[in-house]
Amino acid sequence: MAPISRNQRQQSRASFHPSSDTATYRDLLLFEERLKTNAAQLQRRKSRYQLFLLHLMIVIAFLLSEVLLQTSFLDIPYTNLLRKVLPDVYGGAENLKPHPYFASGLLFVLVTALLLFFASGMYAEKIAYANRYVPHANKALRNFNMYLNVRRPPLRSTFSITSFSFIFHRPTQPRAPSPTLRPSKAPAPMAPIPPANSPRGELIFSSRVDRGFRESYERYRAAFERKRDERERCERGKTWTGWIANKMPWNQPPIGPPVLVAPSRTASGRGRGSVVGTPLGSRRSSPMPRPGTRDTPAVRTID
């Protein structure tokens, strides 16, 4: 027997081979959906509170102009409000001015609310925590050779066609890589993580995880997302607005290869289904062996 080299032993220790069965894929998919759902909820809550904070600062700036610059922009909404609420009393009034301390008192209340928004920890809980959720999750997932990728493609790549590209068109020529001398002891730079294929993000694995497991799980996840999209299209098509939206060309479902579930033997000897893709030419049914041939095992009757 040939001795095992040190590199092979280190590679066997570093690699990770999880069980490739449907139960593992289902549990991992539920875990991934929970992470993506929490991240999406935090981002939606962050957007609502950012919008509230923006409106609060706009109103404060408006009241500051009323108090410091002595403007009369507040007279217009004040007059319209009194005309609608009390038309019998202020129906013929043209220009009504509020109390001199009305703008100052309202400004004091809003500035106090702004200070309490930061001092009470509301900003750190509702806005800043949404920015720290994904980095903290990836820090914990690093021990399990996983990474939650929520990166989106930049807008420059999305809107790559501009009006200047038609006027000043220059053919791009590939540049030859310049030979750079790198010291042998310096570590190689890590490849950047590409943007996620799904807008909600996706769970990717380290290169230490078995490649067969990664590909099988990606097929399982693609089949789940395709079924979920079809179910959402059916639910959306029950209304006339959703039916019109489904007919739009950008809402057409993508055509992908068929995904079938084939049984696979696990270490415990039980057959569980795993999602695998089969080519079109392999759908022919194999002929059944006749009884009495070599391929058919003999059946004994136990009394």
Side-chain angles (χ1 to χ4, degrees):
M1 180 182 297
I4 302 177
S5 61
R6 181 179 301 177
N7 295 333
Q8 293 178 356
R9 284 183 294 182
Q10 292 179 356
Q11 184 177 3
S12 62
R13 293 178 181 176
S15 60
F16 180 66
H17 300 273
S19 57
S20 300
D21 51 9
T22 310
T24 304
Y25 297 152
R26 183 177 62 252
D27 296 340
L28 190 58
L29 184 61
L30 291 175
F31 176 71
E32 179 181 356
E33 288 296 322
R34 178 61 62 87
L35 288 176
K36 293 191 293 187
T37 302
N38 292 342
Q41 290 178 355
L42 290 175
Q43 290 297 327
R44 286 195 296 267
R45 188 178 67 179
K46 170 189 170 183
S47 301
R48 291 196 300 266
Y49 279 90
Q50 282 181 338
L51 184 62
F52 165 74
L53 189 61
L54 178 62
H55 287 171
L56 185 61
M57 296 182 69
I58 290 175
V59 175
I60 288 176
F62 173 75
L63 293 176
L64 280 175
S65 66
E66 289 286 330
V67 174
L68 299 180
L69 302 179
Q70 299 295 327
T71 58
S72 59
F73 296 112
L74 190 60
D75 299 346
I76 300 175
Y78 182 75
T79 304
N80 295 331
L81 180 63
L82 290 180
R83 285 179 180 178
K84 291 182 180 180
V85 175
L86 301 173
D88 299 335
V89 180
Y90 300 99
E94 296 182 357
N95 189 8
L96 297 175
K97 293 186 177 182
H99 194 271
Y101 296 104
F102 177 77
S104 302
L106 189 58
L107 178 63
F108 175 76
V109 172
L110 293 181
V111 170
T112 305
L114 181 63
L115 294 177
L116 289 177
F117 184 81
F118 289 94
S120 63
M122 188 73 69
Y123 176 83
E125 180 183 355
K126 305 298 183 180
I127 297 179
Y129 178 71
N131 299 329
R132 299 193 305 265
Y133 175 76
V134 175
H136 286 181
N138 287 328
K139 187 177 181 180
L141 292 174
R142 187 183 306 172
N143 299 327
F144 301 96
N145 298 322
M146 292 186 293
Y147 182 84
L148 182 61
N149 185 16
V150 293
R151 297 185 179 183
R152 297 182 179 181
L155 296 177
R156 182 172 54 185
S157 61
T158 305
F159 305 98
S160 58
I161 300 177
T162 58
S163 58
F164 296 99
S165 62
F166 295 99
I167 302 175
F168 306 101
H169 177 70
R170 293 187 302 175
T172 58
Q173 298 179 357
R175 296 181 179 180
S178 58
T180 57
L181 298 178
R182 182 182 299 170
S184 58
K185 295 182 180 181
M190 296 180 61
I193 298 176
N197 298 325
S198 175
R200 298 176 62 236
E202 60 184 2
L203 193 67
I204 59 178
F205 299 91
S206 172
S207 58
R208 298 178 180 178
V209 182
D210 184 27
R211 184 176 181 181
F213 176 83
R214 287 180 289 168
E215 295 177 353
S216 300
Y217 176 71
E218 289 175 359
R219 290 193 295 265
Y220 186 88
R221 181 174 57 191
F224 170 78
E225 292 179 353
R226 183 161 53 249
K227 291 180 181 179
R228 182 179 58 187
D229 294 342
E230 292 176 359
R231 184 168 60 252
E232 291 178 355
R233 283 178 56 86
C234 293
E235 293 293 333
R236 189 169 58 245
K238 294 180 180 179
T239 59
W240 65 273
T241 55
W243 182 83
I244 295 176
N246 289 339
K247 296 299 181 181
M248 295 301 171
W250 54 81
N251 285 333
Q252 297 300 322
I255 301 176
V259 179
L260 301 179
V261 177
S264 61
R265 291 290 178 180
T266 58
S268 59
R270 295 178 297 176
R272 295 180 180 177
S274 61
V275 180
V276 294
T278 57
L280 297 177
S282 63
R283 291 188 176 183
R284 299 179 181 178
S285 59
S286 58
M288 297 294 295
R290 296 180 180 179
T293 58
R294 297 180 180 178
D295 297 337
T296 306
V299 179
R300 295 188 303 174
T301 304
I302 301 175
D303 295 335

